[in-house]
Amino acid sequence: MNKHSFLFLVVLFLTSSVSAQSYFPGKWGDWEKKNPSQLGLDPAQIDSAVQYAQRMESTNLRSMEENHYGTFGREPFGYGIGPFKDRGPQTGIIIKDGYIVAEWGEPFRVDMTHSVTKSFLSYTVGLAYDKGLIRDVNDKVDPYMAPILEMQWDDNRNKADHYGSPKIMEPFKGDHNSKITWNHLLRQTSDWEGTLWGKPDWADRPSRERSEWGNRERKEPGSAYEYNDVRVNVLALAAMNVLREPLPKVLREIIMDKIGASPTWRWQGYENSWVVIDGQQMQSVSGGGHWGGGMFISARDQARFGLLTLHNGNWNGEQLVSEEWNKMAQTPTEAQSDYGFMNWFLNTDKKRLPSAPESAFFHLGSGANMVYVDQENNLVIVARWINGSAMDGIVKRVLKSLE
């Protein structure tokens, strides 16, 4: 038995034992708190974790728009096309056996969560899979795609000027893109080529070699990992095209309402990411805040999502996203062993979180925004607006409280 197969069996065992001893909170603010000592945790170590997190608040600007133009906004075509929202203070929640044992900052404040959005996107693709709308993640995406009609705003253009130009989008046509599977998109190994919502694929984190930007040789899908938000947004568009409904609506009805999330979260797209499906205008949402948009959500609602993934998609006995999908999400990507499905970061190499078990995983976004999920210890930690280097320090102190 190889190492990855062993870890899969460990996760399977841990999940069943975790589910048997967990409390699930009620709606929105109805979440029972317990003193750490009531659950066998050392209160001093929990206090130490909280104080450490607060000391390690991110030094980035609180204005997300200003911060964007000092970072991603400096890339080619880096201008924002989605909304931004100023962030709040360093905030966190520690959950053991389903109970809140520590909470600080502004846990009900709605902030951008950047690439943690990708984990919500992964779950909406999982819902399409559970409905049978995607038969196999190794299927090529193109045969699933109806022609996509992009909304064109009538600015009284001369129609003849655009005679013969495409009126529909077909993002998975061509020698390279037609090879791409759902699995490649979920694992960020597709190397999809093209432009979506005014952003060329090469404009996201472009290489230092400018001659490669628009005409480099493409890598075979599945052979190389590259974190790329244009390709993430292609997955969001493809998922909406299959589900035939806006992804926030699907997520709310099947997941967020059922886990008691607040009514305050919003999943934003771009000002130009509108299409028409079945005669209805729909906004294709983004998988992060790279150019604005993405999931705007509170730490409390992040924690509920983390608790759901802790239980592999099961909420108080109801399987909202299949266990099969959750297990697939936690399997390593061949080209990047510490990455599962879109934003399930795995701890297989223990580089980011050396103090955590190998079976742990975390949803991670810029900021840093971390939702740490530890099935071995029945533990969820939300830490928002911390320095990335502080992630392990928080986890280490919480785990020490268990000793």
Short mmCIF file of all heavy atoms in Angstrom, two decimals, residues 4 225 331-333 335-340 344-352 362:
data_model
loop_
_atom_site.label_atom_id
_atom_site.label_comp_id
_atom_site.label_asym_id
_atom_site.label_seq_id
_atom_site.Cartn_x
_atom_site.Cartn_y
_atom_site.Cartn_z
N HIS A 4 -0.21 7.49 -0.17
CA HIS A 4 -1.46 8.20 -0.40
C HIS A 4 -2.66 7.31 -0.13
O HIS A 4 -3.68 7.78 0.39
CB HIS A 4 -1.49 8.73 -1.84
CG HIS A 4 -0.49 9.81 -2.10
ND1 HIS A 4 0.02 10.07 -3.34
CD2 HIS A 4 0.10 10.69 -1.25
CE1 HIS A 4 0.88 11.07 -3.25
NE2 HIS A 4 0.94 11.47 -2.01
N TYR A 225 1.09 21.82 -12.74
CA TYR A 225 0.21 22.62 -11.88
C TYR A 225 0.56 24.09 -12.04
O TYR A 225 1.73 24.48 -12.04
CB TYR A 225 0.41 22.19 -10.44
CG TYR A 225 -0.20 23.08 -9.38
CD1 TYR A 225 -1.51 22.90 -8.96
CD2 TYR A 225 0.55 24.09 -8.77
CE1 TYR A 225 -2.06 23.70 -7.96
CE2 TYR A 225 0.01 24.89 -7.78
CZ TYR A 225 -1.29 24.70 -7.38
OH TYR A 225 -1.83 25.50 -6.40
N THR A 331 -7.71 14.01 -2.20
CA THR A 331 -6.64 13.20 -2.79
C THR A 331 -5.62 14.11 -3.45
O THR A 331 -5.98 15.10 -4.09
CB THR A 331 -7.19 12.20 -3.82
OG1 THR A 331 -7.90 12.92 -4.84
CG2 THR A 331 -8.11 11.20 -3.15
N PRO A 332 -4.33 13.80 -3.32
CA PRO A 332 -3.29 14.66 -3.88
C PRO A 332 -3.34 14.72 -5.41
O PRO A 332 -3.66 13.75 -6.08
CB PRO A 332 -1.99 14.01 -3.39
CG PRO A 332 -2.38 13.16 -2.24
CD PRO A 332 -3.76 12.68 -2.53
N THR A 333 -2.99 15.88 -5.92
CA THR A 333 -2.83 16.07 -7.36
C THR A 333 -1.48 15.52 -7.79
O THR A 333 -0.46 15.77 -7.14
CB THR A 333 -2.94 17.56 -7.71
OG1 THR A 333 -4.27 18.00 -7.41
CG2 THR A 333 -2.62 17.84 -9.17
N ALA A 335 0.54 16.27 -10.14
CA ALA A 335 1.55 17.27 -10.46
C ALA A 335 1.83 18.22 -9.30
O ALA A 335 2.74 19.05 -9.38
CB ALA A 335 1.12 18.08 -11.68
N GLN A 336 1.05 18.12 -8.20
CA GLN A 336 1.23 19.00 -7.04
C GLN A 336 0.64 18.29 -5.83
O GLN A 336 -0.53 18.41 -5.52
CB GLN A 336 0.54 20.34 -7.27
CG GLN A 336 0.76 21.37 -6.17
CD GLN A 336 2.12 22.01 -6.23
OE1 GLN A 336 2.83 21.90 -7.23
NE2 GLN A 336 2.52 22.69 -5.17
N SER A 337 1.48 17.55 -5.12
CA SER A 337 0.99 16.60 -4.12
C SER A 337 0.33 17.25 -2.91
O SER A 337 -0.37 16.58 -2.14
CB SER A 337 2.13 15.69 -3.64
OG SER A 337 3.14 16.45 -3.01
N ASP A 338 0.53 18.56 -2.69
CA ASP A 338 -0.10 19.22 -1.54
C ASP A 338 -1.39 19.94 -1.93
O ASP A 338 -1.90 20.78 -1.18
CB ASP A 338 0.87 20.19 -0.86
CG ASP A 338 1.24 21.38 -1.73
OD1 ASP A 338 0.94 21.35 -2.95
OD2 ASP A 338 1.83 22.35 -1.20
N TYR A 339 -1.94 19.60 -3.09
CA TYR A 339 -3.16 20.25 -3.57
C TYR A 339 -4.16 19.18 -3.97
O TYR A 339 -3.82 18.24 -4.70
CB TYR A 339 -2.84 21.13 -4.79
CG TYR A 339 -3.87 22.20 -5.09
CD1 TYR A 339 -3.96 23.34 -4.30
CD2 TYR A 339 -4.72 22.08 -6.19
CE1 TYR A 339 -4.89 24.34 -4.59
CE2 TYR A 339 -5.65 23.08 -6.49
CZ TYR A 339 -5.73 24.20 -5.69
OH TYR A 339 -6.64 25.18 -5.98
N GLY A 340 -5.40 19.32 -3.47
CA GLY A 340 -6.46 18.41 -3.86
C GLY A 340 -7.33 19.06 -4.90
O GLY A 340 -6.82 19.62 -5.87
N TRP A 344 -8.61 22.82 -1.66
CA TRP A 344 -8.30 21.90 -0.58
C TRP A 344 -6.77 21.78 -0.58
O TRP A 344 -6.19 21.01 -1.34
CB TRP A 344 -8.93 20.53 -0.82
CG TRP A 344 -10.23 20.29 -0.12
CD1 TRP A 344 -10.43 19.48 0.95
CD2 TRP A 344 -11.53 20.81 -0.45
NE1 TRP A 344 -11.76 19.48 1.31
CE2 TRP A 344 -12.46 20.28 0.48
CE3 TRP A 344 -12.00 21.68 -1.43
CZ2 TRP A 344 -13.81 20.60 0.45
CZ3 TRP A 344 -13.34 22.00 -1.46
CH2 TRP A 344 -14.22 21.46 -0.53
N PHE A 345 -6.12 22.59 0.26
CA PHE A 345 -4.66 22.47 0.41
C PHE A 345 -4.39 21.34 1.39
O PHE A 345 -4.91 21.33 2.51
CB PHE A 345 -4.05 23.77 0.92
CG PHE A 345 -3.87 24.81 -0.15
CD1 PHE A 345 -4.87 25.75 -0.41
CD2 PHE A 345 -2.72 24.85 -0.92
CE1 PHE A 345 -4.71 26.71 -1.40
CE2 PHE A 345 -2.54 25.81 -1.91
CZ PHE A 345 -3.55 26.73 -2.15
N LEU A 346 -3.58 20.39 0.98
CA LEU A 346 -3.29 19.22 1.80
C LEU A 346 -1.99 19.42 2.56
O LEU A 346 -1.12 20.20 2.15
CB LEU A 346 -3.19 17.97 0.91
CG LEU A 346 -4.35 17.78 -0.09
CD1 LEU A 346 -4.13 16.51 -0.91
CD2 LEU A 346 -5.69 17.74 0.62
N ASN A 347 -1.86 18.71 3.66
CA ASN A 347 -0.65 18.85 4.49
C ASN A 347 0.29 17.67 4.30
O ASN A 347 1.02 17.30 5.21
CB ASN A 347 -1.05 18.99 5.97
CG ASN A 347 0.03 19.67 6.79
OD1 ASN A 347 0.69 20.60 6.32
ND2 ASN A 347 0.23 19.21 8.01
N THR A 348 0.26 17.07 3.13
CA THR A 348 1.04 15.87 2.87
C THR A 348 2.55 16.09 3.00
O THR A 348 3.27 15.20 3.44
CB THR A 348 0.74 15.33 1.46
OG1 THR A 348 0.85 16.41 0.51
CG2 THR A 348 -0.66 14.76 1.40
N ASP A 349 3.01 17.29 2.62
CA ASP A 349 4.45 17.55 2.73
C ASP A 349 4.82 18.31 4.00
O ASP A 349 6.01 18.48 4.29
CB ASP A 349 4.95 18.32 1.51
CG ASP A 349 4.23 19.65 1.32
OD1 ASP A 349 3.47 20.07 2.22
OD2 ASP A 349 4.43 20.28 0.26
N LYS A 350 3.80 18.78 4.73
CA LYS A 350 3.98 19.48 6.01
C LYS A 350 4.88 20.71 5.89
O LYS A 350 5.53 21.12 6.85
CB LYS A 350 4.52 18.52 7.08
CG LYS A 350 3.65 17.29 7.28
CD LYS A 350 3.98 16.54 8.57
CE LYS A 350 3.49 17.30 9.77
NZ LYS A 350 3.46 16.46 10.99
N LYS A 351 4.90 21.33 4.73
CA LYS A 351 5.74 22.51 4.55
C LYS A 351 5.10 23.76 5.16
O LYS A 351 5.75 24.52 5.87
CB LYS A 351 6.01 22.74 3.06
CG LYS A 351 7.01 21.76 2.46
CD LYS A 351 7.29 22.07 1.00
CE LYS A 351 8.30 21.08 0.43
NZ LYS A 351 8.55 21.33 -1.02
N ARG A 352 3.82 23.98 4.86
CA ARG A 352 3.15 25.17 5.39
C ARG A 352 2.79 25.00 6.86
O ARG A 352 2.85 25.94 7.64
CB ARG A 352 1.89 25.47 4.59
CG ARG A 352 2.12 26.29 3.32
CD ARG A 352 0.78 26.87 2.87
NE ARG A 352 0.94 27.78 1.75
CZ ARG A 352 0.64 27.48 0.49
NH1 ARG A 352 0.20 26.28 0.20
NH2 ARG A 352 0.78 28.37 -0.47
N PHE A 362 -6.56 22.53 4.56
CA PHE A 362 -6.99 23.90 4.86
C PHE A 362 -7.41 24.59 3.58
O PHE A 362 -6.91 24.33 2.49
CB PHE A 362 -5.89 24.70 5.58
CG PHE A 362 -4.52 24.62 4.95
CD1 PHE A 362 -4.04 25.65 4.16
CD2 PHE A 362 -3.71 23.52 5.17
CE1 PHE A 362 -2.78 25.58 3.59
CE2 PHE A 362 -2.44 23.44 4.61
CZ PHE A 362 -1.97 24.47 3.81
#
